Amino acid sequence: MAVLTALRPIGKGLAFAVVGFLIGAGAATLLTTITDRPATQPVITLGYLFALIGWVLGVGLWDNWAREWFGLPVKNTEAFGWPRYFRFTTDHKTIGVQYLVTFVVLFLLAGLLSVLMRLELMAPGQTIMGAKDFNTTMSLHGIIMIAVAVATFLGGFANFTIPLLIGAEDVAFPRINALSYWIVPPVAVLLILTPFFGGFDTGWTAYPPLAVVNATGGLLFVLAFLTFGVSSILGGLNFLATIIMLRAPGMTWGRLPIFVWSIFAAALISLTATQFVAYGLLMIILDRVVGTAFFDAARGGKPLLYEHIFWFYSHPAVYIMILPGFGVALEVLTHFSRKPLFAYKYVVGAILAIVALSFIVWAHHLYTSGMPSYLHLPFMITTEIISIPTGVIFLAGLGTIWLGRLWLTTPMLFALAFLFNFVIGGVTGIFLADVPTDINLQDNYFVVAHFHYTIMGGEIFALMAGIYYWFPKITGRMHSEALGKVHFWWMFIAYQVTFIPMFWAGIQGMNRRVADYTPELGGINLFISVASFLLAASFLVMVYNLVRAWVRGPKASDNPWRARTLEWQTSSPPPLENFTRPPVVVGHPYDYGVPGSVHSAAAPAGGAGDKETH
Amino acid sequence: MNRHTFIVAILWVVLTILGEALVAISDLSPLAAAKEAAIVDGAFRVLMVLAVPVVAFVIATLAYSIIRFRIRGEPSQDGPPIRSHGRLIAVWFAVTSGLTVLMVIYPGIIGMNELADLSHEEPDMVVKVEGMRFAWRFTYPEQNVSTFKELVLPVDKHVRFDVTSRDVLHSFWVPAFRMKIDAVPGMVTTVHATPDKTGTFGDDTQLRLQCTELCGLGHSIMTVPVRVVEQSEFEAWVAQQTQTARR
Ligand SMILES: [Cu+2]
Ligand SMILES: [Cu+2]
């Protein structure tokens, strides 16, 4: 009975979604009958749109928020205990956990898809699936991992930690925050449904004309991507406002923890750039559903236009993923070196410079696309200039551990590995920014290896650092450090063994996104496949460790790492209002070893903390 | 220079020498069969040579720090409060900026110019290439020949490929030539190659034309053998093709 009550909002959301679908599908059927156009795609599109609206209204938007637009009293459906994770709640910590758990599950699912891909690629010829299923598997792996890379930080950790790190009670727009989470489940549902609608075979990039003419699964994918984009835009907006408006007294910009800066930068990109890909996807939907011809060359459209729009978002988007990775890695390196973050001001400058540069490099993905060749040089120059601010991140990381007192905990090991992986990801990026080499390497396994070194070796290793670092704070339980280290070494070694050979496979002529290859490449592919299975298995250790600790691990102390930042100055897990007495920031977060320095003090009773001083 | 810095410097130099030696003795590149390929492979080598000291520096510093500065268990003391170091930061900026400028110029701009010089020469021959799901059609306008089966080219002739697509995006890539251009519907894109070695797909699979832009179901099998032959053999092939077409 308790379970049923707890799941009531979900049930209501589903019911509203069905009603919404029927309304949308009905309207579409009517319209297509009048205009005498094929009905399937309009029915799905309008049906989904209304189902999405119904879902968010039913799951809690109506009761908690929308009622007040019509002068009705809102009903507070907040709950305590585990049921709170299954409803529209506004507490940033609950939403952070909702995001983290959802996306870690999706991460494991997409990892499983990569195992299926590697099974197929183990030997030349067909192994376990045909080309159609391979394309769908590969495309799903791609888009789910992209979503994971964006949302674990900007949705998960940003939600849980940013208000704590800046000494706030919640985010600026708690209800928008809940909304941005609750429009994610439909994305997952659409993606999981794609195989039943003919799959989709465009990869996550959805280049037209293929994305316009492929099976209906392709439409589901584009709708899912667009919905996820809306969620990221809302998330970006929320964190910008939160960081600008809600910093505790004394939390000046110069005292902001580096993870907060990195989220600020990522949110800036997320708010602005995501809108471009949304328009690109909308144009694909219009081409498919109402027969416009944005990308149909025969009717005057330009397929190349989409590539520009897409990468105008998607290059900055890699910085939505990697900047928070830099942030967590530097954060962890600092606390576990017991030394101030080296060159803090330069790191902030570098992060902001990367944001600016990220918008003017997109066409490095287009050297072989047929765009005019006079554009090659400027984009090569801007792209290679990014190495300079990226170099500052390394200066800070290495400068921080130098002469430090390194405490090699699990999060610290992952943060150190981040530096190792990212230097490989970074220098191989130069080969792809450089026009002569990219003409050959574009779209082959060298690219696959490169972006896995930056996104997985960089961001996902940083994500692991973040998971182990904040786990005690989030759950109030302590994971096993011994198992954490087993996970680290297993994952680190299997990771290198999986991805280093991919560079070589690419140089030898293995191109990406293929279900089959020339027989000479059989040996290297078998090797990569076996290594990738070992890599996948390493996550079982993590799941076992974290699930066990969450259920019956020892209670964590408030500050098991003895870190100085604000989230560790409250209980584990923090109370609903985050701090029993609002904190006042009086010093730099990273002044380890500075005699007598403190980062924060609790406000004196009587609420001096309400007077904002920034 | 203190002891730590000195040891890391030694470690760095040793790793760099080892790495450069590895780059020098190992030949990563598969069969190259065009003038353009030599330029691309040259640029690749230059970048490898430049990448080695960068990676070696990070590994040396990282490895030394982990071994030398680790504390067993929880550190009871904080490290020295070093927040910044003006001279180091200035040197760091100078070196990374210098490396960036170097990379942009060489192999970047110089390699691009070498490729552009080759492509600006008047082509000896034009081949029209049309991609379609899931095949390639080659038309030799001067020879009045057209085929789907294989791409036949005379050796030491500068060829311009005029590439387009009938349906969705494809990409024209011959690994042995290291050259690539997308086939875009409604557009003609060009790519140049000057094959400088004779050979067939049977000798080396690098001599193949492979689609490298995901185009759907048959994408991975959208490959066609490439055959580079002597001029006389090419003419014989053209004659034979014309005959079969007439028959
Ligand atoms: Cu990019
Ligand atoms: Cu293709």
Side-chain angles (χ1 to χ4, degrees), chain A residues 338 368 440 442 508-509 562, chain B residues 28 74-75 79 180 182 208:
Chain A
R338 312 290 310 168
T368 61
N440 182 43
Q442 166 70 4
Q508 299 308 309
R562 293 198 297 117
Chain B
L28 291 172
E74 201 177 321
K180 181 180 293 144
D182 281 5
R208 68 182 194 270

Side-chain angles (χ1 to χ4, degrees), chain A residues 492-506:
Chain A
F492 179 76
I493 293 165
Y495 175 81
Q496 311 300 338
V497 179
T498 305
F499 287 98
I500 286 280
M502 285 193 190
F503 288 114
W504 191 79

Side-chain angles (χ1 to χ4, degrees), chain A residues 311 314-316 318-319 358 361-365 383:
Chain A
W311 288 108
S314 292
H315 189 84
V318 305
Y319 289 102
S358 76
V361 299
W362 79 91
H364 59 215
H365 297 270
T383 304

Side-chain angles (χ1 to χ4, degrees), chain A residues 70-373:
Chain A
F70 302 94
L72 302 166
V74 290
K75 292 185 197 161
N76 187 2
T77 62
E78 301 265 344
F80 298 97
W82 68 267
R84 74 180 187 277
Y85 295 117
F86 293 89
R87 56 189 61 211
F88 196 91
T89 50
T90 52
D91 175 29
H92 70 96
K93 297 183 289 299
T94 308
I95 297 174
V97 172
Q98 287 173 328
Y99 262 111
L100 279 171
V101 172
T102 306
F103 280 93
V104 167
V105 169
L106 285 172
F107 173 76
L108 298 172
L109 182 77
L112 215 58
L113 292 174
S114 73
V115 168
L116 293 179
M117 280 160 71
R118 286 317 315 179
L119 272 170
E120 172 53 39
L121 293 171
M122 245 171 119
Q126 185 170 328
T127 319
I128 58 157
M129 57 176 126
K132 180 164 166 283
D133 290 335
F134 180 86
N135 283 345
T136 304
T137 310
M138 178 275 298
S139 303
L140 277 176
H141 167 79
I143 189 62
I144 295 176
M145 285 302 192
I146 292 287
V148 166
V150 169
T152 42
F153 277 119
L154 207 53
F157 281 132
N159 251 310
F160 196 95
T161 66
I162 293 292
L164 288 164
L165 278 163
I166 62 173
E169 241 179 77
D170 205 329
V171 293
F173 308 120
R175 292 185 294 195
I176 288 185
N177 201 16
L179 176 63
S180 74
Y181 172 75
W182 282 105
I183 55 186
V184 166
V187 175
V189 170
L190 278 181
L191 291 178
I192 289 164
L193 284 178
T194 53
F196 304 101
F197 287 84
F200 73 104
D201 51 7
T202 55
W204 79 282
T205 48
Y207 280 1
L210 185 58
V212 175
V213 300
N214 62 1
T216 307
L219 176 66
L220 265 57
F221 160 68
V222 176
L223 289 169
F225 196 167
L226 185 58
T227 313
F228 182 71
V230 173
S231 169
S232 324
I233 293 171
L234 295 177
L237 176 75
N238 206 350
F239 288 109
L240 279 184
T242 304
I243 296 167
I244 294 171
M245 305 305 294
L246 299 183
R247 282 168 291 128
M251 181 59 89
T252 58
W253 290 97
R255 286 175 182 164
L256 225 46
I258 207 66
F259 180 62
V260 181
W261 269 114
S262 72
I263 289 292
F264 179 79
L268 207 57
I269 300 174
S270 179
L271 174 63
T272 52
T274 314
Q275 308 186 27
F276 286 89
V277 81
Y279 292 127
L281 296 169
L282 200 56
M283 286 151 102
I284 288 182
I285 294 172
L286 288 172
D287 270 14
R288 290 187 75 121
V289 175
V290 301
T292 51
F294 290 111
F295 306 125
D296 180 357
R299 292 188 290 148
K302 290 259 177 288
L304 199 49
L305 171 66
Y306 177 84
E307 294 184 44
H308 283 285
I309 300 172
F310 180 82
W311 288 108
F312 192 80
Y313 157 75
S314 292
H315 189 84
V318 305
Y319 289 102
I320 301 177
M321 306 170 201
I322 200 64
L323 287 175
F326 289 168
V328 170
L330 292 179
E331 194 80 36
V332 168
L333 288 171
T334 305
H335 298 308
F336 293 95
S337 298
R338 312 290 310 168
K339 259 187 76 206
L341 174 58
F342 188 76
Y344 170 88
K345 282 182 189 153
Y346 292 91
V347 176
V348 172
I351 288 175
L352 295 177
I354 288 174
V355 172
L357 284 169
S358 76
F359 282 93
I360 52 170
V361 299
W362 79 91
H364 59 215
H365 297 270
L366 272 68
Y367 292 150
T368 61
S369 68
M371 83 175 170
S373 55

Side-chain angles (χ1 to χ4, degrees), chain B residues 169-171 211-216 219 222:
Chain B
L169 297 180
H170 302 281
S171 193
C211 178
T212 48
E213 190 68 77
L214 186 54
C215 54
H219 171 56
M222 198 169 149

Side-chain angles (χ1 to χ4, degrees), chain A residues 23-37:
Chain A
I23 294 173
T29 314
L30 208 65
L31 281 172
T32 46
T33 323
I34 298 168
T35 53
D36 202 26
R37 282 187 54 83

